[in-house]
Amino acid sequence: SQKIEQNSEALNIQEGKTATLTCNYTNYSPAYLQWYRQDPGRGPVFLLLIRENEKEKRKERLKVTFDTTLKQSLFHITASQPADSATYLCALETSGTYKYIFGTGTRLKVLA
Amino acid sequence: DAGITQSPRYKITETGRQVTLMCHQTWSHSYMFWYRQDLGHGLRLIYYSAAADITDKGEVPDGYVVSRSKTENFPLTLESATRSQTSVYFCASSDIIGGGASETQYFGPGTRLLVL
């Protein structure tokens, strides 16, 4: 069956370090992969999209990689700040469906 | 204000009652989605709509009904609420860009529903 896995355990890192979050999937052939940020009590907010033919995408302090062979995406936040503390969700859109499948999210806490 | 709104934000109801959650977007996006979010399950797609009068099931559609008579509105109805439908419900919208894929989904603030 189709499955998306994100580390369910919270990730704690020190301010200024690089946070790396992982999204693994099985039995999918995603055309697009997205990362969202969700703060407590609020809806997810879109951060980055990467296509299956792209290896890497950057936006300010954020970087996403997409390895279709490993079936994995990595999400990096460089020079992390306490304000980056949130839950980060990955979402996959399978080819032609326009439907999104979300992972359960990883909670990131950046310690000052 | 422009954007995507949901109402009510909080709702308490009893088992067996009908409940309708409202979603409204001002962007004229083609696609709209309803998700529920539960601990341990993440966001799960209930129903989605590609345009007015076009809807389709998602991963967990049982017990829910949707309609889309206007592009900007996408109400979700629980015909006979059950305790298992206690959850946080999110509406989202997106548009189709370029090569035919939606670039991003814009989420509403959510409705917290408690079924007693």
Side-chain angles (χ1 to χ4, degrees):
Chain A
S1 64
Q2 299 172 323
K3 197 172 180 182
I4 301 175
E5 288 185 347
Q6 292 186 258
N7 193 344
S8 59
E9 293 183 10
L11 176 63
N12 294 334
I13 65 166
Q14 286 297 130
E15 184 177 7
K17 300 292 185 182
T18 296
T20 298
L21 285 66
T22 304
C23 177
N24 295 302
Y25 59 92
T26 56
N27 298 324
Y28 280 117
S29 297
Y32 304 85
L33 188 146
Q34 302 177 338
W35 283 88
Y36 289 79
R37 169 183 173 140
Q38 186 174 24
D39 292 289
R42 309 191 75 146
V45 175
F46 171 79
L47 296 174
L48 280 169
L49 174 145
I50 189 165
R51 295 173 173 79
E52 60 181 337
N53 60 352
E54 297 175 322
K55 297 295 184 186
E56 183 179 297
K57 201 82 168 277
R58 291 175 185 261
K59 178 182 176 182
E60 298 173 352
R61 294 185 297 111
L62 308 180
K63 184 178 84 172
V64 171
T65 63
F66 193 10
D67 190 326
T68 55
T69 301
L70 290 179
K71 296 187 180 295
Q72 182 182 77
S73 175
L74 298 178
F75 177 78
H76 307 273
I77 305 175
T78 58
S80 60
Q81 305 165 359
D84 295 326
S85 298
T87 296
Y88 291 86
L89 310 172
C90 71
L92 277 64
E93 180 190 21
T94 51
S95 297
T97 67
Y98 305 119
K99 292 191 293 187
Y100 295 86
I101 306 296
F102 281 80
T104 53
T106 297
R107 191 156 44 93
L108 172 68
K109 187 170 184 179
V110 181
L111 306 170
Chain B
D1 289 343
I4 183 164
T5 56
Q6 294 183 236
S7 61
R9 295 293 313 279
Y10 304 91
K11 177 74 178 179
I12 299 174
T13 191
E14 294 178 338
T15 301
R17 291 192 179 264
Q18 183 179 81
V19 177
T20 295
L21 310 183
M22 304 302 292
C23 179
H24 175 79
Q25 53 106 352
T26 60
W27 294 300
S28 298
H29 283 167
S30 300
Y31 279 79
M32 297 188 75
F33 307 82
W34 273 107
Y35 294 90
R36 59 178 290 174
Q37 188 172 39
D38 306 287
L39 277 174
H41 288 283
L43 281 161
R44 290 182 291 174
L45 182 65
I46 305 171
Y47 269 97
Y48 71 106
S49 169
D53 297 322
I54 301 175
T55 62
D56 203 354
K57 295 178 181 179
E59 183 184 357
V60 288
D62 293 342
Y64 303 96
V65 174
V66 293
S67 62
R68 195 161 176 213
S69 57
K70 292 183 177 181
T71 299
E72 61 267 28
N73 297 324
F74 191 37
L76 175 74
T77 298
L78 289 66
E79 293 193 301
S80 178
T82 64
R83 289 195 182 92
S84 65
Q85 292 177 310
T86 291
S87 186
V88 181
Y89 291 85
F90 288 102
C91 178
S93 71
S94 68
D95 213 349
I96 306 302
I97 299 172
S102 48
E103 290 283 333
T104 183
Q105 291 185 83
Y106 297 91
F107 282 82
T111 294
R112 282 152 184 75
L113 176 67
L114 175 60
V115 182
L116 300 174

